[in-house]
């Protein structure tokens, strides 16, 4: 029987980036089909953008990101980042790739790496097109597709589904009526996939 995990994440979430490869490897090992949902922090469910947290919590958040980045083998550029535009529109490239049956995982990986490890301005369409091209995909096609109705409709519907599913932060994994928030909860998700439901 096929197992499906609903995967809620944000391109602009460093935690989504840190846990991405670990999750896709877990999914492959457990024969899981991933259904991606992209949105931003769901504030109406209690999600808080990092910029709105007290400084003492932001400092801890930064230290924790660095610890987990080392565990996951990821490079994070958190200091001395240039002023970058909103990375959210990059989600539309991922959605277009997913809807077209393309390698949305490869698109996600390339865009997140560029933003979080190289501080590239993926908010700009020409920048993300070049990044996707360098990853071996057709960035021009995805750039054209980002304004199409089906892509825009999924972007809107993803937020509604995240809100209605009780999601507030990223990444969140939904399997068999259970939510797992945070890439540090992947061991619990894997146990559940193996039959150990909480």
């Amino acid at each position: 029987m096929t197992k499906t995990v609903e995967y809620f994440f944000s391109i602009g979430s460093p935690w989504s980036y840190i846990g991405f490869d670990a999750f896709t490897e877990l999914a492959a090992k457990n024969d899981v089909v991933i259904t991606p949902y992209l949105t931003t922090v769901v504030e109406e469910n209690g999600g808080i953008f990092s910029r709105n947290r007290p400084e003492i919590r932001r400092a801890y958040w930064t230290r924790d990101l660095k610890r987990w980045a080392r565990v996951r083998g990821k490079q994070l550029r958190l200091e001395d980042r240039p002023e970058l535009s909103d990375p959210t529109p990059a989600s539309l490239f991922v959605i277009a790739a997913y809807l077209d049956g393309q390698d949305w995982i490869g698109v996600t990986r390339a865009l997140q790496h560029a933003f979080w490890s190289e501080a590239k301005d993926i908010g700009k369409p020409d920048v993300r097109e070049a990044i996707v091209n360098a990853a071996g995909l057709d960035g021009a096609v995805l750039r054209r597709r980002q304004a199409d109705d089906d892509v825009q409709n999924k972007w809107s519907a993803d937020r509604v589904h995240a809100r209605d599913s009780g999601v507030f932060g990223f990444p969140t994994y939904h399997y068999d009526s259970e939510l797992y928030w945070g890439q540090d909860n992947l061991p619990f998700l894997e146990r559940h996939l193996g039959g150990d439901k909480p």
Side-chain angles (χ1 to χ4, degrees):
M1 182 176 174
T2 301
K3 301 169 185 174
T4 299
V5 172
E6 293 185 333
Y7 175 48
F8 299 89
F9 71 107
S10 168
I11 296 294
S13 161
W15 293 112
S16 293
Y17 170 53
I18 287 172
F20 188 69
D21 290 338
F23 172 54
T24 56
E25 288 165 11
L26 182 157
K29 186 172 76 171
N30 290 277
D31 298 317
V32 165
V33 174
I34 303 170
T35 304
Y37 294 92
L38 291 100
T39 186
T40 58
V41 171
V42 187
E43 292 181 286
E44 53 265 56
N45 284 351
I48 303 172
F49 284 97
S50 62
R51 63 179 175 268
N52 295 331
R53 293 175 180 155
E55 185 54 40
I56 195 164
R57 187 171 174 190
R58 281 181 50 79
Y60 182 85
W61 177 82
T62 300
R63 293 299 305 153
D64 210 29
L65 277 171
K66 290 178 178 179
R67 286 191 287 259
W68 272 107
R70 287 177 63 114
V71 168
R72 299 293 191 202
K74 300 277 188 174
Q75 293 290 324
L76 277 182
R77 184 173 170 189
L78 297 175
E79 285 87 19
D80 302 317
R81 286 173 66 86
E83 190 70 28
L84 302 175
S85 51
D86 184 4
T88 301
S91 302
L92 302 175
F93 270 40
V94 177
I95 290 172
Y98 173 72
L99 292 176
D100 293 348
Q102 302 299 314
D103 181 15
W104 69 269
I105 289 176
V107 173
T108 299
R109 183 176 289 119
L111 290 171
Q112 286 183 325
H113 176 80
F115 186 72
W116 288 110
S117 289
E118 300 173 342
K120 291 187 178 177
D121 197 350
I122 64 171
K124 296 180 177 177
D126 57 329
V127 173
R128 57 180 178 269
E129 180 179 334
I131 290 164
V132 170
N133 286 340
L137 297 136
D138 195 332
V141 169
L142 298 182
R143 183 174 181 173
R144 286 194 298 272
R145 287 277 285 124
Q146 66 184 354
D148 291 346
D149 286 347
D150 60 337
V151 174
Q152 292 291 327
N153 289 341
K154 178 167 168 50
W155 170 247
S156 298
D158 282 5
R159 177 160 193 83
V160 172
H161 185 53
R163 182 199 66 203
D164 293 349
S165 297
V167 172
F168 48 87
F170 307 112
T172 294
Y173 318 95
H174 182 236
Y175 174 67
D176 188 23
S177 75
E178 195 76 23
L179 285 179
Y180 297 92
W181 170 48
Q183 59 87 37
D184 54 329
N185 268 273
L186 285 172
F188 298 122
L189 172 61
E190 185 161 32
R191 288 175 67 91
H192 190 166
L193 290 166
D196 183 15
K197 182 176 180 177

